[in-house]
Amino acid sequence: MRKEQSSNFINEQFLFQVCELNSAVSVISGRWKSQIVYSISQGNNRFHLLLQELPNISETVLARQLKELETHAILVKQEIPDSVPVGVNYVLTNKGKDLVPILESLCDWGKTYAEGKEISI
């Protein structure tokens, strides 16, 4: 965690106040967060299913990213009743569901330019 008097922290707080875009980008920043949200939206709502869907992510990183998404109210953990050991499903909140089409649009934009669309002014 950053010191509250550091210039990095102060600059971040300033940017969050200038435009909500900066705040929104910080919520989904992180190498895996957007893919985790998208995977959950596609039904991969268990920890082991996410590991299968994202084979290059470590368990530690997945757990941390899920916790951060939970902190930002993008998803919630729901215990599966009567399961031994206790199972957990990850469920997108309305905030997380609203994010999915935005992520899909960003993906489409990225594909368009990755495929060589001409850039002009």
Side-chain angles (χ1 to χ4, degrees):
M1 184 147 207
R2 272 182 258 155
K3 295 178 184 175
E4 291 186 15
Q5 297 305 316
S6 73
S7 60
N8 202 2
F9 181 83
I10 292 167
N11 290 338
E12 184 178 77
Q13 296 307 306
F14 170 77
L15 289 172
F16 289 172
Q17 292 171 1
V18 170
C19 178
E20 288 76 12
L21 172 65
N22 297 307
S23 180
V25 168
S26 82
V27 169
I28 60 168
S29 67
R31 183 171 292 164
W32 296 100
K33 285 182 186 173
S34 59
Q35 195 60 49
I36 291 167
V37 170
Y38 185 76
S39 291
I40 291 171
S41 78
Q42 298 301 301
N44 299 307
N45 60 351
R46 304 283 304 272
F47 194 86
H48 75 279
L49 293 174
L50 289 165
L51 284 174
Q52 287 175 355
E53 182 75 14
L54 308 168
N56 295 330
I57 193 171
S58 71
E59 289 185 19
T60 304
V61 171
L62 177 57
R64 183 178 42 219
Q65 299 283 277
L66 286 166
K67 183 66 177 163
E68 289 177 18
L69 289 165
E70 189 176 9
T71 299
H72 290 291
I74 301 296
L75 58 83
V76 294
K77 278 193 300 194
Q78 290 183 337
E79 289 187 3
I80 301 170
D82 303 325
S83 62
V84 178
V86 174
V88 173
N89 280 332
Y90 294 95
V91 180
L92 295 178
T93 63
N94 63 318
K95 184 177 178 182
K97 289 176 185 174
D98 289 346
L99 181 57
V100 173
I102 296 165
L103 295 175
E104 289 171 339
S105 291
L106 280 170
C107 183
D108 292 342
W109 177 80
K111 283 180 191 174
T112 297
Y113 287 96
E115 292 170 355
K117 180 177 180 179
E118 183 180 334
I119 300 171
S120 60
I121 52 171

